[in-house]
């Protein structure tokens, strides 16, 4: 399923975690890292475990847990929520700086019998420069770009245009595409600026991103709408895939739709459009 919207919920707020699926996000992330203060980490692990193991918790979206950076803290996180492993669809790793970080988390997941893919959060200079190697780790299923932490890491000043992180943003998309994993764009921090969020999401789509992070339920709908293809694009995609089926029957690898020559890249584009068009169905 597409990961158009990836919404964070604090791991120490059980009432919010239980309500999170109702926001309509494709992915909900129970956050044990930045959203939880150090003195509440243990409490948050217990809260996340209780929600994950609740028989009445039956979300129709991807359930992800953001652990703390690889090491003792991540191991403690996984041990604390291990009873809910069957409900976890993915695990997000913050501060992923190298392939070794992702591989270490993969080993920890295996030790705790959690068969979940990794969403690697690339938010440091080393992470951006090593993005291709991180994406190439077998367990990595997405690269997630974090502009705010990256800016702090390199000493950049955040601007409205975002030119200070544009190279890194594009680099992450290229690395994800090269390894055929999802690319998830950074958060938009102004919760009240819906128009700005929509514009920012459209730009992320132009860059090639598959989805965008959200920090508030109000951001989910604008993000989902931006990633939902226009009816004209859906009509084109349907025509392409219908023509492909006919061409397959006739043994033709290249064919025309409305005067346009269609080959493998355009077929892949049509399949992607239909996948996103059907996301809410």
């Amino acid at each position: 399923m597409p990961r158009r919207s990836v919404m964070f919920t604090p791991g120490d707020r059980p009432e919010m975690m239980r309500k999170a699926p109702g926001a309509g996000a494709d992915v909900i992330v129970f956050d044990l890292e930045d959203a939880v203060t150090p003195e509440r980490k243990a409490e948050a692990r217990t809260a996340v475990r209780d929600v994950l193991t609740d028989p009445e918790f039956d979300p129709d979206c991807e359930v992800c847990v953001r652990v703390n950076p690889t090491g003792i803290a991540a191991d403690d996180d996984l041990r604390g929520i291990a009873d809910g492993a069957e409900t976890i669809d993915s695990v997000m790793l913050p501060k992923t700086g190298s392939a070794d970080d992702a591989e270490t988390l993969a080993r920890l997941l295996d030790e705790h019998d959690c068969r979940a893919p990794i969403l690697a959060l690339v938010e440091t200079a080393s992470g951006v420069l090593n993005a291709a190697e991180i994406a190439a780790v077998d367990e990595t299923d997405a690269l997630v770009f974090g502009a705010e932490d990256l800016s702090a890491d390199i000493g950049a000043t955040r601007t409205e245009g975002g030119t200070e992180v544009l190279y890194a943003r594009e680099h992450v998309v290229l690395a994800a595409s090269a390894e055929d994993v999802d690319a998830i764009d950074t958060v938009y921090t102004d919760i009240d600026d819906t128009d700005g969020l929509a514009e920012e999401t459209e730009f992320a789509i132009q860059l090639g991103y598959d989805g965008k992070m959200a920090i508030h339920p109000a951001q989910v709908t604008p993000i989902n709408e931006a990633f939902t293809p226009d009816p004209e694009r859906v009509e084109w995609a349907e025509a392409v895939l219908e023509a492909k089926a006919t061409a397959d029957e006739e043994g033709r690898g290249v064919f025309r739709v409305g005067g346009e020559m269609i080959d493998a890249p355009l077929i892949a584009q049509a399949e992607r459009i239909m996948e996103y068009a059907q996301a809410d169905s």
Side-chain angles (χ1 to χ4, degrees):
M1 292 295 293
R3 292 177 170 129
R4 301 168 299 175
S5 48
V6 178
M7 187 187 78
F8 289 84
T9 301
D12 58 350
R13 299 291 298 276
E15 73 286 355
M16 292 179 66
M17 288 189 285
R18 294 178 192 279
K19 293 178 180 179
D26 292 336
V27 184
I28 55 174
V29 183
F30 295 162
D31 191 5
L32 291 172
E33 195 218 9
D34 283 349
V36 180
T37 59
E39 61 271 15
R40 291 177 62 89
K41 297 289 186 182
E43 180 182 342
R45 293 177 189 122
T46 300
V48 170
R49 182 199 64 202
D50 289 348
V51 172
L52 293 174
T53 57
D54 185 345
E56 296 185 2
F57 182 70
D58 187 25
D60 58 358
C61 60
E62 179 177 338
V63 178
C64 177
V65 175
R66 178 161 72 169
V67 297
N68 285 278
T70 300
I72 295 175
D75 189 39
D76 288 344
D77 290 339
L78 293 174
R79 182 179 294 107
I81 64 174
D83 290 345
E86 291 185 0
T87 311
I88 299 172
D89 298 309
S90 57
V91 174
M92 184 177 291
L93 177 62
K95 308 294 190 299
T96 311
S98 66
D100 184 64
D101 289 342
E103 290 166 351
T104 299
L105 179 59
R107 289 195 294 272
L108 291 175
L109 288 168
D110 186 60
E111 290 173 8
H112 292 286
D113 294 321
C114 184
R115 313 300 179 197
I118 295 170
L119 311 186
L121 186 47
V122 177
E123 51 186 345
T124 62
S126 60
V128 171
L129 294 177
N130 294 323
E133 290 81 4
I134 294 168
V137 174
D138 288 343
E139 291 80 6
T140 299
D141 204 45
L143 294 183
V144 186
F145 177 55
E148 305 306 321
D149 280 44
L150 174 64
S151 296
D153 186 50
I154 64 177
T157 300
R158 291 292 275 132
T159 64
E160 185 175 349
T163 54
E164 69 283 354
V165 296
L166 182 57
Y167 166 76
R169 204 174 177 189
E170 293 173 328
H171 185 83
V172 169
V173 169
L174 291 172
S177 180
E179 296 298 332
D180 196 25
V181 301
D182 285 345
I184 310 299
D185 191 38
T186 190
V187 300
Y188 188 76
T189 57
D190 190 342
I191 297 171
D192 297 323
D193 185 9
T194 304
D195 291 340
L197 171 63
E199 182 178 343
E200 177 83 357
T201 306
E202 289 289 353
F203 183 61
I205 294 170
Q206 292 171 12
L207 291 179
Y209 275 91
D210 301 290
K212 190 169 181 64
M213 292 188 285
I215 54 175
H216 191 276
Q219 294 185 321
V220 171
T221 295
I223 291 173
N224 284 351
E225 288 179 348
F227 276 98
T228 300
D230 294 331
E232 295 79 7
R233 296 293 288 161
V234 175
E235 184 178 350
W236 173 84
E238 289 174 336
V240 167
L241 297 180
E242 183 178 344
K244 178 184 182 298
T246 301
D248 287 345
E249 292 176 359
E250 298 174 353
R252 292 183 291 114
V254 180
F255 51 91
R256 291 179 179 272
V257 171
E260 181 181 21
M261 188 65 73
I262 304 297
D263 56 8
L266 289 178
I267 292 170
Q269 187 179 122
E271 291 171 340
R272 173 185 167 89
I273 289 171
M274 292 308 301
E275 183 181 19
Y276 276 75
Q278 296 165 0
D280 288 323
S281 61

